[in-house]
Amino acid sequence: MTVQKFQPEDIELTAMDVGRDLLVLITGGVRHIGAASTAYAEDGNVKAQTSAVPHHKEHTISESIALKLASALGRTVTVVMGIHYDNLSREQIGRVVETVNSKVDEYLLQHI
């Protein structure tokens, strides 16, 4: 993988309507596919399924984001996520998570 210095300001959220559903791509640093989570309504609840590429950690936040978006928007949502920066500290990982959540909140403010 290419060396990528920590620059969370390059994290991007791109969304695309797919019929009634929503596809959300969240990437940053060295962009790739690390995990995909789909959240959907079933029996009055919102459930999710996640697939993760081995040795990637995006699934730790992609599922909660898919659930949040599907619940707020009332539609099926798939979140594909791939963010990579080299040698992150715990604080930097926290900043990545904060940045992603902020991007999701901004999206929701514009679409609810």
Side-chain angles (χ1 to χ4, degrees):
M1 208 172 256
T2 305
V3 173
Q4 182 68 37
K5 291 183 181 179
F6 181 61
Q7 294 179 292
E9 58 276 359
D10 81 351
I11 293 173
E12 295 179 353
L13 182 152
T14 306
M16 171 193 294
D17 291 322
V18 182
R20 286 188 27 83
D21 305 326
L22 183 68
L23 174 62
V24 177
L25 178 64
I26 302 173
T27 58
V30 178
R31 287 151 167 73
H32 63 283
I33 297 173
S37 299
T38 299
Y40 53 92
E42 182 176 272
D43 300 326
N45 297 309
V46 178
K47 298 181 178 182
Q49 293 185 348
T50 296
S51 178
V53 175
H55 312 293
H56 290 260
K57 296 184 175 88
E58 289 86 357
H59 67 282
T60 61
I61 57 175
S62 63
E63 187 166 308
S64 64
I65 290 168
L67 287 165
K68 179 178 183 172
L69 288 167
S71 295
L73 299 170
R75 59 200 292 201
T76 297
V77 176
T78 295
V79 174
V80 176
M81 185 177 293
I83 299 171
H84 176 83
Y85 302 102
D86 292 324
N87 305 314
L88 293 183
S89 66
R90 286 193 188 278
E91 292 78 20
Q92 289 171 321
I93 292 168
R95 190 153 162 227
V96 167
V97 172
E98 285 176 18
T99 301
V100 169
N101 284 316
S102 175
K103 300 272 183 183
V104 170
D105 291 343
E106 287 174 28
Y107 179 85
L108 284 173
L109 283 173
Q110 296 172 8
H111 294 89
I112 292 184

